Amino acid sequence: MANSKYEYVKSFEVEDEVMPPNLIVVHIDGRDFRRFSEVHEFEKPNDEKALNLMNQCAMAVLEEYPDIVFSYGYGDEYSFVLKKTSKFYQRRSSKISSVVVSFFTSVYVTKWKEFFPLKELRYPPSFLSQIVCCASLEILQAYLAWRQRDCHVQNQYNTCFWELVKKGGKTEMEAQEILKYAKEQDRNELLHQQFGINYNGTLALFRQGTCIFKTEVEDIVKYNEDGTPVKRLRRKAGIFRSENIAGRRFWNAHASLLKELGNF
Ligand code: ATP
Ligand code: ATP
Ligand code: MG
Ligand code: MG
Ligand code: MG
């Protein structure tokens, strides 16, 4: 209530502004998605439809909030990066975090039927959200490298685990025991020797995760009378993948990203 005797209570709100020039990252992760994926019978280790649903939700987030210029996700998590000069909700963590995660969650629920027409949504999923504050581009890239490393390690483990269980005739306990001391190279060899799988030949969607950001694309707006198309440049969110999203090659290949993020 503005201008009332109660207004002083507003001063009790927690101050949580992220100071510039820090980059604001919103990190969201499905709450107890181990259970959610079991109840909804996700394919193991990777349910492609569930991943595509996550990607569509992230795409919707980028279309909704123009200050978000980059995102990366895999499994049940996504990270959204705001441009450096963003003044979105006065840079207040709790506001940004809550609006992004609630929007993402409602899109997840509304789009569920599109991706799982034959599967009923058994209960309302929820996502946790937190703000990560990156003091420089280097720290943002280290953060992204960390998430992508996690994507790879989890995916490699899960791929081995489910091969051992589904095709190797092992129990879940036995598979866990076998993988306990296996290093990265051992796991690749196990896949190759026992199951004839070349890990690096599996889907990049599973191994590398997904980046979504906007680039300029040519859209046909209408056709002239003589049939020639009238084109216009439009910024549109698209999907990109790379083995190393923190590497120089990736950022050089998408030079406009740096400009979007804020003149590094
Ligand atoms: P928390 O609430 O702590 O995040 P969690 O169960 O969600 O608990 P995570 O570490 O986030 O734990 O792991 C996500 C879980 O969801 C994993 O067990 C993973 O196998 C499952 N999962 C998420 N997406 C998929 C998918 N597309 N296909 C198969 N399984 C998935
Ligand atoms: P902000 O994003 O700043 O919160 P807002 O439009 O949501 O913008 P509020 O001050 O929260 O602004 O006001 C909520 C608005 O939603 C009001 O305009 C109110 O009339 C409308 N509204 C909310 N619930 C109802 C309801 N049950 N019936 C009719 N109108 C409603
Ligand atoms: Mg989770
Ligand atoms: Mg997770
Ligand atoms: Mg409101």
Side-chain angles (χ1 to χ4, degrees):
M1 293 279 270
N3 303 318
S4 81
K5 67 171 177 174
Y6 303 112
E7 209 187 343
Y8 74 95
V9 182
K10 198 166 165 46
S11 69
F12 298 154
E13 282 182 12
V14 178
E15 288 288 339
D16 59 356
E17 177 186 345
V18 177
M19 291 298 174
N22 289 293
L23 288 159
I24 299 170
V25 180
V26 185
H27 173 94
I28 70 167
D29 185 288
R31 177 179 159 262
D32 199 359
F33 259 47
R34 170 185 278 273
R35 169 165 170 250
F36 186 84
S37 65
E38 280 166 13
V39 169
H40 295 91
E41 296 166 331
F42 280 11
E43 260 176 50
K44 292 290 179 179
N46 287 295
D47 190 295
E48 211 173 324
K49 290 194 194 102
L51 290 170
N52 289 334
L53 171 56
M54 289 289 292
N55 292 341
Q56 278 306 308
C57 295
M59 191 90 79
V61 167
L62 264 90
E63 298 287 0
E64 182 76 9
Y65 305 111
D67 278 22
I68 297 175
V69 292
F70 182 81
S71 66
Y72 171 71
Y74 64 92
D76 70 338
E77 74 163 67
Y78 244 97
S79 299
F80 298 98
V81 187
L82 277 72
K83 66 178 182 190
K84 194 163 79 171
T85 55
S86 176
K87 297 213 165 52
F88 194 40
Y89 283 109
Q90 292 84 47
R91 303 178 65 87
R92 288 177 64 177
S93 306
S94 53
K95 303 237 175 190
I96 297 170
S97 169
S98 58
V99 81
V100 171
V101 75
S102 60
F103 182 80
F104 186 98
T105 310
S106 19
V107 177
Y108 192 94
V109 172
T110 24
K111 284 197 186 285
W112 175 267
K113 262 208 210 85
E114 233 177 83
F115 290 82
F116 297 104
L118 303 175
K119 252 182 219 178
E120 186 198 351
L121 185 57
R122 304 281 290 277
Y123 67 88
S126 48
F127 288 81
L128 289 131
S129 171
Q130 73 185 61
I131 295 287
V132 180
C133 155
C134 293
S136 65
L137 180 66
E138 286 68 32
I139 292 176
L140 173 68
Q141 286 169 337
Y143 169 82
L144 293 172
W146 171 48
R147 295 329 300 154
Q148 193 174 34
R149 173 85 197 145
D150 192 67
C151 169
H152 161 68
V153 171
Q154 301 247 9
N155 180 58
Q156 194 197 32
Y157 181 93
N158 290 335
T159 307
C160 291
F161 181 88
W162 289 104
E163 283 297 320
L164 285 166
V165 172
K166 283 180 170 174
K167 300 206 195 109
K170 304 286 184 215
T171 66
E172 296 197 3
M173 285 276 275
E174 286 165 346
Q176 214 171 357
E177 204 51 39
I178 291 169
L179 291 172
K180 207 153 124 190
Y181 300 107
K183 296 203 177 62
E184 201 170 329
Q185 194 51 39
D186 303 335
R187 290 177 185 173
N188 272 356
E189 263 159 37
L190 182 149
L191 284 176
H192 188 65
Q193 284 167 9
Q194 290 194 36
F195 304 106
I197 293 171
N198 169 16
Y199 180 75
N200 290 320
T202 60
L203 276 189
L205 165 70
F206 303 160
R207 277 182 300 116
Q208 301 176 346
T210 302
C211 295
I212 296 176
F213 51 90
K214 286 187 179 170
T215 51
E216 276 191 343
V217 291
E218 258 187 1
D219 258 3
I220 297 173
V221 206
K222 59 171 184 175
Y223 289 91
N224 290 324
E225 274 169 22
D226 62 357
T228 54
V230 179
K231 293 174 183 167
R232 197 187 299 148
L233 281 177
R234 200 166 76 84
R235 298 195 62 74
K236 202 173 166 201
I239 284 181
F240 300 86
R241 295 209 170 83
S242 162
E243 213 171 321
N244 179 10
I245 58 165
R248 199 170 286 229
R249 188 194 289 188
F250 179 74
W251 287 80
N252 283 344
H254 302 287
S256 65
L257 247 185
L258 281 184
K259 225 168 43 195
E260 281 279 295
L261 260 179
N263 289 324
F264 287 97

